[in-house]
Amino acid sequence: EPEVTQTPSHQVTQMGQEVILRCVPISNHLYFYWYRQILGQKVEFLVSFYNNEISEKSEIFDDQFSVERPDGSNFTLKIRSTKLEDSAMYFCASSELEDTQYFGPGTRLTVL
Amino acid sequence: AQSVTQPDIHITVSEGASLELRCNYSYGATPYLFWYVQSPGQGLQLLLKYFSGDTLVQGIKGFEAEFKRSQSSFNLRKPSVHWSDAAEYFCAVGLKEYGNKLVFGAGTILRVKS
């Protein structure tokens, strides 16, 4: 069964450093998403992406964040200058149409 | 604003007992509704979804959920819980007009007693 994959599973970085989180969505899916879950809190929407454009972003998704689909298979989330409060589990998801989203296993980001 | 409420943070049931996890949403139109399950250290696995039609939907692992428009609810049920069902369960509403984003509830942690 096709699944969304994410790398790395755990990323540790120093405050102020740039990180890139990688996702490989399900191959025939057209819509891509990033969510995050701070420990003990709700899963929060960050951004949705379709046809090489951001279609919606949350207030969390400020200028420090960017997304890219650099090739036909990867979907990345970049945080330019990490802050302590960016420590969270980041989930990638994809959907074939504007309906059911399938999630990856997540990347745990720890900012020191 | 759109929101999802899961009033129970923790629920403990005995193995073999029935289960109902509550979910209420606030949304102006008929939403897309989902239940996801998260085991420790794992991602979010889709259990079931409601888009339209029959208000009782069946999902994987023997779960079902019923959409009740009048109560703005989408409660998850299972007639007989297994120890492997212990996990955290998230209800979510999908907002097609906002880039199809999902708004999640806070989750309910299910513990199963043997």
Side-chain angles (χ1 to χ4, degrees):
Chain A
E1 184 179 322
E3 57 183 24
V4 177
T5 59
Q6 291 185 243
T7 54
S9 57
H10 192 189
Q11 173 94 46
V12 181
T13 189
Q14 296 291 325
M15 191 168 55
Q17 295 296 303
E18 174 183 288
V19 295
I20 297 176
L21 309 183
R22 290 182 168 79
C23 168
V24 179
I26 295 172
S27 63
N28 64 329
H29 284 189
L30 302 176
Y31 297 81
F32 313 110
Y33 314 84
W34 284 101
Y35 293 81
R36 78 173 185 189
Q37 185 181 30
I38 294 171
L39 189 63
Q41 297 187 23
K42 290 185 183 185
V43 177
E44 302 173 287
F45 169 80
L46 291 178
V47 66
S48 57
F49 190 86
Y50 169 71
N51 199 24
N52 282 318
E53 295 188 333
I54 290 174
S55 42
E56 184 76 20
K57 61 182 180 178
S58 72
E59 58 275 9
I60 302 167
F61 194 88
D62 61 22
D63 293 344
Q64 294 298 312
F65 291 87
S66 61
V67 289
E68 193 179 27
R69 188 154 163 82
D71 53 41
S73 58
N74 290 282
F75 180 52
T76 62
L77 174 69
K78 182 193 291 185
I79 309 175
R80 264 180 265 287
S81 177
T82 50
K83 306 181 186 72
L84 294 176
E85 55 265 36
D86 293 327
S87 294
M89 182 74 91
Y90 288 80
F91 293 106
C92 174
S94 69
S95 63
E96 185 177 3
L97 301 171
E98 291 177 296
D99 50 20
T100 308
Q101 295 177 33
Y102 295 90
F103 284 76
T107 293
R108 179 165 297 286
L109 176 66
T110 302
V111 182
L112 302 175
Chain B
Q2 305 87 4
S3 65
V4 176
T5 301
Q6 293 180 247
D8 304 305
I9 298 173
H10 295 100
I11 282 187
T12 301
V13 300
S14 298
E15 192 168 15
S18 63
L19 170 71
E20 182 168 31
L21 302 183
R22 295 182 289 164
C23 172
N24 292 93
Y25 66 89
S26 171
Y27 183 56
T30 300
Y32 291 173
L33 293 162
F34 304 87
W35 276 98
Y36 287 88
V37 60
Q38 184 180 35
S39 298
Q42 304 295 311
L44 296 161
Q45 181 183 23
L46 178 71
L47 280 178
L48 47 76
K49 60 190 178 187
Y50 172 79
F51 291 164
S52 64
D54 192 347
T55 56
L56 183 65
V57 292
Q58 303 296 320
I60 62 170
K61 304 185 182 187
F63 285 92
E64 66 178 27
E66 186 171 12
F67 169 59
K68 292 185 177 179
R69 185 190 304 277
S70 61
Q71 298 176 20
S72 297
S73 69
F74 188 56
N75 293 349
L76 182 71
R77 301 195 292 249
K78 186 169 184 177
S80 176
V81 167
H82 187 262
W83 64 266
S84 60
D85 294 325
E88 189 162 16
Y89 291 79
F90 293 93
C91 180
V93 60
L95 307 180
K96 188 170 179 178
E97 68 276 26
Y98 295 105
N100 200 32
K101 75 176 185 181
L102 295 177
V103 174
F104 283 85
T108 298
I109 296 172
L110 172 65
R111 299 191 178 111
V112 181
K113 291 189 302 186
S114 56

